[in-house]
Amino acid sequence: MLHNLPDELWLDIFDMAVEDAEFFDPVLHTVFSEAVWFKNLFGEWALRRSQECLNNAQRRSYATKKAIMATCRNWRRLGYEFFYRFLFFSNPHNIQRACELLDSNSEFGRWTRRVHATSYHGANRTTIEITQNSLVSVIRHCLKLEIFIVNWPLSSALSAIAQALCTYVPRTLRVLQINIPSPSLAKLIFMLQCLPKLETVQIEFDGPPPEYIRLGAAGDLELTLPALQTLALRGSFQDFVEQAIGWHLPALKSLSLDFVNNRDDLPDLVEFFAEHGSELTFLDLNCIPPLDIATILDLCPQLTTFTFNPDWRIPGWENHQTLDTFIVHQPHPNITTIGLHHLMYAFGVGYAAEYNKIDPFVTHSIQRQNDINFATLSKRNFPRLRCIRVLNATLLSDLEKNNGPSQRCFERWERWSKRCQREGIRLEDCTGATLGTLPVDPEDEEEESVVEESESDRNLTTLRELLLECRKMNAQRELDVPSPALQMIYTGASRHS
């Protein structure tokens, strides 16, 4: 009976089973993408970042697709469409293998909409030249490519890959995420000029900022990117921002600027926001030197989400009449969510606890600035504010290891939490949980269940056991095992084969 099902029905079943719809969204993860707790190989709690979760989800999807294609000839014939719908490489050698398969049958590439090559740590059996040529060949076969992501530095491969993207997929590519050397800005500008359909661009500039970048003709281009909605920059991107001031970006809604450790030669951000800030709804500023937040917020009236570094000693705060309003010139009407970077010294855990022993004055100074900046995050300055999120995953890991803030900093923890509760603002961590919600060992959860059972209705025992089995099933799924629903399909197919 199952063999008589039409192909269209099988394709619908497989489409639900492989769970890959999220991989084709034209958006990339941001600082607000939630991390999750997990137990590492040493039995310790650790945080898995959103990008790692996405990579694992792609691996699970691949495992399901391989299981489908290994079941029978008919499923293998139908499974090709799903297997090549996205190509995920965690090993450069697999790029070469994919290239050989696409060369042997160019029809496979017509299904590919996403190519993602993630960073790889380990012995590499291929050279940079082979990997570069293989990746260019993959692009050549994937004429409907919409998303292209490479997480490792392209260096010498940038020119060839840029030429391939501009030649074969200039009208279909919507998402571009690459890592390039800082001196290669001119090549990047020429590439962007040839990709007018881009909606999301994320660029990491690798290496220290050069003293002088030779742009040549690229420096005179006034790019128009009519579809660009999201721009994320990381590293030494000062010259990129200076060039982009004169570009036409009518659809830009989201901007992320992560300066990493760069402290000098910052671009003219005020001028940039004067040109491109009026329609921004998302602004992420991760920078060590302080910025003129009040002016930037004035230039971005449509913002709903905003992040900054509360370690900043914001200029002019000492001379302000009221310390709780200096962060704005007037209340911002639309911001609902604020993210906080850094804060490593706020709760006296991890590296900051050790540094406090060496230089307590610096620690106290930063903590005082944290308090002053946090006090400005109120309904008075942001009338629609609903959520404040602490974005630093390292800080959350240190809090877990220390079982909460240090005794000396516990008062700050309570003060911030109570003030947010009074104003109806949710204070949360990078997992999306309320700040202070630390992971609980399964053994502790079972002990709590036993106590509750002795005090409440014992008829709930069966329900708790069922929930525990559900948790075990979810844990088993993390091991790249096909879902129970798919296993039922396998069983049914084997009975009728």
Side-chain angles (χ1 to χ4, degrees):
M1 176 180 176
L2 291 178
H3 279 298
N4 296 328
L5 290 178
D7 289 352
E8 292 78 10
L9 183 55
W10 279 123
L11 291 175
D12 286 341
I13 294 173
F14 295 159
D15 190 42
M16 292 183 289
V18 297
E19 298 180 328
D20 62 359
E22 65 173 308
F23 307 145
F24 305 105
D25 291 336
V27 294
L28 296 173
H29 287 204
T30 69
V31 292
F32 281 89
S33 300
E34 296 175 355
V36 296
W37 289 106
F38 75 102
K39 281 292 188 72
N40 60 23
L41 295 176
F42 303 101
E44 300 173 343
W45 284 109
L47 281 169
R48 180 174 285 131
R49 310 297 176 95
S50 59
Q51 184 61 58
E52 297 172 8
C53 293
L54 177 64
N55 293 347
N56 288 341
Q58 291 182 96
R59 294 186 181 98
R60 288 197 300 270
S61 182
Y62 259 137
T64 301
K65 295 172 183 179
K66 290 179 181 178
I68 290 173
M69 297 180 67
T71 302
C72 63
R73 291 181 179 178
N74 188 42
W75 285 20
R76 184 177 184 84
R77 175 179 61 85
L78 298 174
Y80 279 119
E81 175 181 345
F82 299 95
F83 191 82
Y84 287 95
R85 194 150 61 178
F86 74 83
L87 301 176
F88 174 68
F89 306 109
S90 57
N91 186 332
H93 179 66
N94 291 336
I95 302 178
Q96 183 181 357
R97 294 174 57 191
C99 175
E100 295 171 355
L101 290 171
L102 293 172
D103 286 340
S104 64
N105 190 336
S106 59
E107 289 295 309
F108 292 155
R110 65 190 174 98
W111 288 306
T112 304
R113 295 165 51 196
R114 174 188 175 105
V115 172
H116 183 179
T118 188
S119 55
Y120 175 73
H121 304 284
N124 188 0
R125 292 177 288 175
T126 61
T127 64
I128 295 178
E129 291 75 17
I130 293 177
T131 300
Q132 166 189 313
N133 295 334
S134 299
L135 196 54
V136 169
S137 181
V138 168
I139 296 171
R140 176 170 57 87
H141 288 294
C142 303
L143 300 182
K144 296 181 180 180
L145 186 65
E146 298 177 6
I147 302 173
F148 182 75
I149 301 174
V150 177
N151 295 134
W152 35 266
L154 291 178
S155 59
S156 60
L158 177 60
S159 297
I161 290 175
Q163 183 176 1
L165 292 174
C166 295
T167 301
Y168 299 107
V169 292
R171 297 292 175 180
T172 63
L173 193 67
R174 296 189 297 164
V175 178
L176 175 68
Q177 179 182 345
I178 54 176
N179 183 322
I180 69 171
S182 297
S184 300
L185 178 58
K187 297 177 182 178
L188 174 64
I189 293 175
F190 284 126
M191 178 170 62
L192 294 178
Q193 183 187 31
C194 299
L195 300 173
K197 299 298 184 181
L198 285 175
E199 298 177 18
T200 300
V201 173
Q202 182 171 321
I203 309 295
E204 179 169 355
F205 293 84
D206 189 47
E211 294 184 5
Y212 173 74
I213 295 181
R214 186 175 185 135
L215 295 178
D220 298 326
L221 291 177
E222 294 185 4
L223 295 189
T224 297
L225 299 174
L228 185 64
Q229 300 178 26
T230 302
L231 176 63
L233 305 174
R234 188 174 191 272
S236 306
F237 54 79
Q238 294 90 328
D239 292 280
F240 181 96
V241 171
E242 295 287 354
Q243 291 296 314
I245 291 175
W247 297 351
H248 187 49
L249 309 174
L252 188 63
K253 300 292 184 182
S254 174
L255 178 66
S256 297
L257 302 177
D258 184 355
F259 290 80
V260 194
N261 294 321
N262 293 314
R263 301 168 181 259
D264 303 316
D265 192 26
L266 298 185
D268 190 346
L269 292 180
V270 172
E271 184 179 356
F272 179 90
F273 290 120
E275 294 293 330
H276 305 298
S278 60
E279 299 299 323
L280 287 179
T281 59
F282 180 99
L283 177 58
D284 171 27
L285 298 176
N286 189 358
C287 179
I288 295 177
L291 302 174
D292 187 355
I293 293 299
T295 301
I296 290 174
L297 292 180
D298 286 345
L299 296 172
C300 305
Q302 303 301 321
L303 284 182
T304 59
T305 303
F306 171 67
T307 78
F308 74 106
N309 178 4
D311 292 352
W312 285 343
R313 188 178 180 88
I314 298 178
W317 70 270
E318 305 95 333
N319 302 323
H320 206 278
Q321 294 180 351
T322 55
L323 287 180
D324 58 350
T325 62
F326 71 88
I327 199 171
V328 294
H329 290 149
Q330 60 268 337
H332 195 288
N334 294 314
I335 289 180
T336 61
T337 305
I338 292 180
L340 304 179
H341 290 290
H342 298 273
L343 283 177
M344 288 298 295
Y345 294 86
F347 302 118
V349 294
Y351 162 81
E354 297 300 322
Y355 192 80
N356 182 58
K357 301 175 182 177
I358 301 173
D359 194 341
F361 176 78
V362 170
T363 301
H364 177 73
S365 177
I366 295 176
Q367 289 175 345
R368 170 172 163 74
Q369 204 61 47
N370 293 157
D371 287 329
I372 292 172
N373 290 332
F374 194 88
T376 64
L377 308 181
S378 63
K379 289 291 184 70
R380 179 179 180 181
N381 297 327
F382 307 98
R384 300 183 62 186
L385 184 61
R386 296 196 300 265
C387 175
I388 298 174
R389 175 175 289 191
V390 177
L391 302 170
N392 194 331
T394 303
L395 172 62
L396 185 57
S397 296
D398 291 338
L399 286 170
E400 188 279 327
K401 294 175 182 177
N402 196 64
N403 197 27
S406 66
Q407 185 176 1
R408 184 176 58 85
C409 297
F410 190 78
E411 182 272 336
R412 174 175 297 104
W413 177 294
E414 284 190 319
R415 174 160 37 87
W416 288 8
S417 298
K418 290 179 179 179
R419 194 180 70 78
C420 287
Q421 291 174 5
R422 286 196 305 269
E423 297 205 28
I425 301 171
R426 177 179 170 85
L427 180 60
E428 61 186 32
D429 59 34
C430 61
T431 68
T434 303
L435 184 64
T437 305
L438 300 179
V440 180
D441 288 322
E443 296 81 4
D444 296 337
E445 291 182 347
E446 293 177 7
E447 291 177 3
E448 292 176 2
S449 298
V450 171
V451 173
E452 292 176 1
E453 182 179 1
S454 63
E455 297 176 352
S456 61
D457 191 356
R458 295 182 180 275
N459 292 330
L460 295 176
T461 301
T462 303
L463 178 59
R464 294 194 183 98
E465 292 176 353
L466 178 60
L467 292 174
L468 183 60
E469 289 300 318
C470 289
R471 293 194 189 101
K472 292 180 180 178
M473 291 172 63
N474 285 332
Q476 187 68 16
R477 186 187 178 102
E478 293 287 336
L479 300 176
D480 291 342
V481 176
S483 64
L486 190 57
Q487 291 178 354
M488 292 173 63
I489 295 175
Y490 296 160
T491 305
S494 62
R495 290 175 180 173
H496 293 81
S497 58

